[in-house]
Amino acid sequence: LFGPDGQTFQMSFVRRNLAYKVERLGEQSVEDKVGTLLQHLRTTEGSTIVYTRNRKQTEELAATLVSQGIPALYYHAGLLAADRHERQKCWIEGRVRVMVATNAFGMGIDKPDVRHVFHIDVPDAIEEYFQEAGRVGRDGLPAEALLIVDRQDAARLLRHCTEEFPPKS
């Protein structure tokens, strides 16, 4: 980072208050991921972001959480700007505990007391993962980033790499 007077600021990606975890579900389906997420949400406290891969999934997952008594909203780029602003404000002010979102959520968000970021889908790139996971624990208190994966995730990532990076021939 460069300051306004040309100073250079350099810092490590290491954040000692942040625990990175992966929970592997094996042969299980997406519904099992949701069940695993629900278990974690029921046994933890604090402001939370749950990242998903698409708009429809944000809406469905937020509805599932609300039906299970967990205050949640969804956020994606397909919402009107006023709706996005209101949802973000609700979450920042703590009127809702969980924001279920695509990667459209988070840029410019500096909510220091986020305790958990859950990824129910594996991001396409490690940089994307660290950017999203890095939104927890900015207040220096203990925080957790949990990636929930199953066998389908590995196959999807392999397929993505094959499509993204074709053979030299």
Side-chain angles (χ1 to χ4, degrees):
L1 286 168
F2 297 101
D5 57 0
Q7 291 178 304
T8 302
F9 297 93
Q10 197 172 4
M11 53 191 297
S12 170
F13 283 103
V14 174
R15 293 178 46 208
R16 302 211 187 286
N17 65 312
L18 179 51
Y20 294 100
K21 298 179 180 178
V22 176
E23 187 159 339
R24 297 173 197 250
L25 302 182
E27 300 283 337
Q28 300 171 10
S29 67
V30 173
E31 286 73 30
D32 293 310
K33 282 185 171 189
V34 173
T36 300
L37 175 66
L38 282 166
Q39 284 180 308
H40 284 283
L41 289 171
R42 288 181 179 132
T43 59
T44 60
E45 295 180 356
S47 188
T48 301
I49 304 171
V50 177
Y51 281 106
T52 66
R53 293 189 48 74
N54 62 61
R55 295 173 183 185
K56 182 180 177 188
Q57 192 177 12
T58 64
E59 295 174 19
E60 291 172 352
L61 184 54
T64 297
L65 297 180
V66 169
S67 76
Q68 295 295 313
I70 297 170
L73 288 173
Y74 65 88
Y75 186 105
H76 58 67
L79 294 169
L80 297 173
D83 289 338
R84 287 193 314 267
H85 176 76
E86 183 57 33
R87 288 164 189 265
Q88 182 175 315
K89 183 178 174 187
C90 260
W91 181 74
I92 286 174
E93 292 175 354
R95 291 186 276 148
V96 66
R97 177 179 167 216
V98 178
M99 183 64 76
V100 181
T102 62
N103 62 0
F105 183 73
M107 295 305 288
I109 301 290
D110 192 18
K111 182 172 171 47
D113 65 342
V114 179
R115 298 277 63 90
H116 306 278
V117 166
F118 296 109
H119 280 86
I120 202 156
D121 294 309
V122 179
D124 289 333
I126 191 74
E127 296 86 359
E128 185 180 333
Y129 172 76
F130 276 106
Q131 182 181 47
E132 293 165 359
R135 296 193 173 114
V136 297
R138 291 185 177 174
D139 56 5
L141 297 175
E144 175 185 71
L146 177 68
L147 176 62
I148 302 170
V149 298
D150 62 18
R151 296 184 113 225
Q152 295 172 7
D153 291 316
R156 188 192 61 78
L157 285 174
L158 265 170
R159 196 170 47 255
H160 174 75
C161 285
T162 303
E163 293 167 1
E164 187 78 14
F165 305 104
K168 287 182 182 181
S169 59

